Amino acid sequence: MVAVAYFGAAKLSLLVAIPPGYATAVWPPSGIAVAALLLGGGRLWPAVLAGSFLANLTIDGAVLASAAIAAGSSIQAVVMAALVRRHVGVPVQFENIDQVVKFVLVAALGSTIAATLVLPALYFLYRMPPSELLGNWSTWWQGDACGVLIFTPLILSWTGTIRWQPRRLAEVAAFSVLLLGATQIVFHGSGARTFLVVPFIVWAAFRFGQRGMTTAVAAVCAMALWYTLAIKRGPFAGEPMHEALLLLLLFVATLVFTGLVLCAVLRQLERAIGELESRVSQRTAELEEAKVAAERANEAKSQFLANMSHELRTPLNSLLILARLLADNSGGNLSAKQIKFAQTIQASGLDLLSLINDLLDLAKIESGAVTTLNVAPTAFSELREELERMFRQVAQERGLQFSIALDPSLPPSLRTDAARLKQVLKNLLANAFKFTPQGGVTLRIAPEGSGRVAFAVSDTGIGIPPDKQQLIFEAFQQADGTTSRKYGGTGLGLSISRELTRLLGGELRLASRAGEGSTFTLVLSLVDQRATVSS
């Protein structure tokens, strides 16, 4: 098969041979030979030898000259294939620019072997004038170099899997017609028009890859040879033969090098994108696993806190009952000091119970257990009376003013989960009283936009610095390390309030200045359309 391909390509090429008949401006058999040895290994060199010998023997029947040319061509193909395999590999697709540069250098330097080895023998056989020796060497070298540059990548690129895409056929047809038109314009005019071919090589590289690009270059090369050597027209035909051949070589080499470099860059880009997508997918999978593990750990933690809270409250309730009985001193057998001790035990126990309740609420929320909503109409007047009754005594004990302002434009009630709403407002009011040493606390209930209501809890307390206003909504966090020591508390109230607000479908805002007080605003829909649901 290799011998037949070599023989057929050689016979076609010799139709445009330059005297004395052994060299052409482009010699495709050299590219075929190198590609065959790269794909099939060095064992195919006898086929190259046979094809070359038979092709040259049919010219004038000179056995010695044909044998010399066949030997030189075979040695050159073996050497070039070995160099390409060692330094480039088998470039079915060039992977980077280094491979392209090395291949071009091997093609340019390796193509000198056959001409250098064979021309001395032909010189003695045909008594070639010394003045023609250099010209024939140059033509031979150019033909082999162009053949390797054009046809080796072309053959290699067509050996891979061929997937025909019907949707590309229209683009291929349009490209072929436009390329034919461009080459007609180029080779019917001057050398200044050769740039018209370059955009088509770029187009082929981007859209059709190395296979399409090498095919386009081969077609342009065939047109250039036909017009330059057969019709004697085009940008190179007006020059002397040796100059025309040199210009033709530079033209073809430029197209091939540009196209191969573009294809290599695109391959690198495809690999980089593929690697990036692979890393992103791997990292995403790792993050998903980490997220699942974190959620499980968080759920286990919340479950543990919930269980521990229940276990702690049982004995604590007993302690509180006993402490209250001692503090009441119904038997009258305790001294004033002992009663004070009992009251201290009861107060501390109540603080501990409050902390346990907060932990239990937070654990339920984080574990997803708090999903029950008892949505029903809630009267604003009843809500005001309950909060007034609960915090009026606190305000009097701390010497603070306290007021609840209900906007008269509000409807009589809102539809929401009353228990959750009260829990949030109680947390906000309790915090306001805790961190307000003087002045007062105000709760304003007023419309907010269309169909919403705002519960604004304002105080004249210590305020919160801007850089701490997000931190305080996290569990166990307060504005600074000294706050908990001075005012007490664990920092769970706002975290619980934020999560309950989300459950109610509302939002919780904060406006504050250090030393001037704070305003926490809970905004809810007046009519929550959700039905009562449970997990």
Side-chain angles (χ1 to χ4, degrees), residues 164-172 207:
W164 297 103
Q165 298 179 350
R167 58 191 176 87
R168 285 283 182 90
L169 292 179
E171 184 179 358
V172 171
R207 298 295 295 167

Side-chain angles (χ1 to χ4, degrees), residues 242-256:
H242 67 280
E243 293 183 12
L245 294 178
L246 180 60
L247 291 173
L248 187 61
L249 171 63
L250 293 175
F251 175 69
V252 171
T254 300
L255 292 182
V256 172

Side-chain angles (χ1 to χ4, degrees), residues 38 276 333:
L38 284 173
L276 181 60
N333 55 352

Side-chain angles (χ1 to χ4, degrees), residues 264-454:
V265 170
L266 291 173
R267 288 284 293 179
Q268 285 183 296
L269 182 60
E270 289 175 0
R271 288 202 314 275
I273 293 174
E275 291 176 2
L276 181 60
E277 290 177 347
S278 176
R279 290 180 182 178
V280 169
S281 299
Q282 181 181 359
R283 185 59 177 163
T284 301
E286 292 175 355
L287 290 175
E288 288 292 336
E289 292 178 0
K291 178 184 176 183
V292 171
E295 289 175 348
R296 289 175 179 172
N298 188 57
E299 184 178 351
K301 176 210 64 172
S302 300
Q303 189 63 41
F304 170 77
L305 287 176
N307 292 336
M308 287 302 299
S309 298
H310 281 295
E311 295 298 327
L312 288 172
R313 282 201 297 183
T314 301
L316 182 60
N317 285 330
S318 300
L319 291 176
L320 289 174
I321 293 173
L322 293 175
R324 182 173 58 82
L325 291 175
L326 289 174
D328 291 343
N329 194 21
S330 57
N333 55 352
L334 296 179
S335 65
K337 190 173 183 179
Q338 290 173 329
I339 294 174
K340 186 175 181 181
F341 288 161
Q343 292 173 342
T344 301
I345 293 172
Q346 184 182 17
S348 298
L350 289 172
D351 289 341
L352 182 57
L353 180 62
S354 175
L355 172 59
I356 292 173
N357 288 334
D358 286 344
L359 285 172
L360 180 60
D361 286 341
L362 183 63
K364 286 182 177 180
I365 291 171
E366 289 185 347
S367 64
V370 180
T371 57
T372 300
L373 288 176
N374 296 310
V375 179
T378 301
F380 286 110
S381 58
E382 294 179 1
L383 180 64
R384 179 177 60 181
E385 290 175 3
E386 182 173 344
L387 294 175
E388 173 80 22
R389 191 167 53 249
M390 182 176 297
F391 288 97
R392 177 59 60 188
Q393 183 64 31
V394 177
Q396 291 176 357
E397 291 176 357
R398 298 180 64 86
L400 300 174
Q401 298 178 358
F402 176 52
S403 63
I404 299 178
L406 187 61
D407 194 297
S409 63
L410 285 169
S413 63
L414 79 159
R415 180 177 170 81
T416 188
D417 187 322
R420 305 297 183 194
L421 172 60
K422 292 175 184 177
Q423 186 175 357
V424 174
L425 293 177
K426 288 175 183 178
N427 278 336
L428 297 179
L429 287 169
N431 277 344
F433 280 107
K434 182 191 299 184
F435 298 111
T436 303
Q438 59 183 2
V441 175
T442 302
L443 170 60
R444 294 182 180 86
I445 308 174
E448 172 81 7
S450 177
R452 298 201 300 173
V453 60

Side-chain angles (χ1 to χ4, degrees), residues 168-187:
R168 285 283 182 90
L169 292 179
E171 184 179 358
V172 171
F175 173 81
S176 302
V177 171
L178 292 174
L179 179 62
L180 180 61
T183 53
Q184 292 292 330
I185 294 173
V186 169
F187 294 105

